[in-house]
Amino acid sequence: MKYKGYFIDLDGTIYAGKKRIPAAKRFVERLQSQNIPFMFVTNNSTKLPRDVVADLRDNHDIHVNESNVYTSGMATADYIKEQTEPDEHPSVYIVGEMGLYQVLLQAGLEISNDHPDYVVVGLDSDLTYEKIVEAVLNIRDGSTFIGTNPDTNIPKERGMLPGAGSVVKFVEHATQIEPIMIGKPKARIIESALNKIGLEKKDVVMVGDNYNTDILAGINAGIDTLLVYSGLSTREEVAKEKIKPTHEIDSLDEWQE
Ligand SMILES: [Mg+2]
């Protein structure tokens, strides 16, 4: 099974929190030496590609380009662009951080809290009640509700902190409206990434440590999947799943491109 392109998760797959995964560095270097295109497909909307590149370089000695990074924020911008005529400039109200603001501004969206076309909700470490109020009132008034990603939690040293999905649920509960969700395990982020990498579904594999996000995203999008047991999911858990990953390995060192 030779693939022409790779979509790769970050935390649990390429690094383990602050800890390095040496097999992952070797895997990335093998892809680079064979000129196989790859993109890190991450649900994290708070970071810009340059932040991800810098973190990989400074903390993990992994050297990639910004074009190797695809965040749920970028997928959100691409999704809105797909819904928009070339001469339209939709407006958006954002609950999120600079990473999300920047990608949506770069996509030509105007920021507004007065009847915006879209309300985009992601992780926001400066979340306030007032931001939620603006989001809720605008969605109730007809703005299209988009969630960057459904992650309930983010694993950190302190424990399982609330993730973007928890913020989205807050707004969903108060509006009784279900959002359009972009990130893994939804197929949308994979479909947008396929557009970006310019390959067909049969030629790409989604690599990740989490059955419920990475692998399901690949399954939902109809691409092959590779589960590496270096992070969250265990063989015992995955054995109970009806739909198995296409490939399962314990370390990326086992994988031959
Ligand atoms: Mg992961």
Side-chain angles (χ1 to χ4, degrees), residues 237-252:
E237 287 163 11
V238 174
K240 294 179 198 143
E241 300 291 346
K242 269 205 199 79
I243 308 176
K244 301 282 187 287
T246 317
H247 316 279
E248 297 172 58
I249 53 176
D250 291 316
S251 159
L252 286 166

Side-chain angles (χ1 to χ4, degrees), residues 13 20-28 30 251-254:
T13 304
R20 294 183 178 187
I21 299 181
K25 174 178 160 67
R26 291 189 284 270
F27 170 64
V28 170
R30 287 200 304 278
S251 159
L252 286 166
D253 277 339
E254 293 170 30

Side-chain angles (χ1 to χ4, degrees), residues 50-89:
R50 66 161 178 266
D51 304 324
V52 175
V53 168
D55 176 56
L56 289 172
R57 181 190 61 224
D58 298 342
N59 298 318
H60 303 283
D61 195 26
I62 293 173
H63 302 270
V64 300
N65 301 313
E66 290 184 23
S67 61
N68 294 118
V69 181
Y70 197 63
T71 69
S72 66
M74 296 162 76
T76 300
D78 287 339
Y79 173 79
I80 292 174
K81 275 194 273 184
E82 279 166 31
Q83 314 298 312
T84 307
E85 300 294 329
D87 57 336
E88 288 177 338
H89 293 282

Side-chain angles (χ1 to χ4, degrees), residues 9-13 15 184 208-210 213-214 231-232:
D9 172 56
L10 284 171
D11 202 0
T13 304
Y15 49 78
K184 299 177 283 187
D209 69 300
N210 186 340
T213 55
D214 307 314
L232 217 63

Side-chain angles (χ1 to χ4, degrees), residues 156-228:
K156 292 277 182 191
E157 282 71 32
R158 289 167 69 191
M160 296 296 269
L161 306 191
S166 296
V167 183
V168 173
K169 275 287 173 201
F170 193 157
V171 176
E172 186 178 343
H173 199 63
T175 56
Q176 297 295 305
I177 290 173
E178 208 182 304
I180 295 163
M181 199 61 97
I182 303 293
K184 299 177 283 187
K186 298 292 177 183
R188 284 190 184 91
I189 191 167
I190 302 293
E191 279 154 7
S192 300
L194 278 164
N195 275 340
K196 198 135 256 181
I197 206 166
L199 291 170
E200 288 179 50
K201 286 189 176 182
K202 65 174 174 53
D203 292 324
V204 177
V205 62
M206 176 72 217
V207 184
D209 69 300
N210 186 340
Y211 180 88
N212 290 314
T213 55
D214 307 314
I215 301 308
L216 279 185
I219 290 167
N220 289 334
I223 67 171
D224 280 2
T225 54
L226 167 59
L227 181 48
V228 54

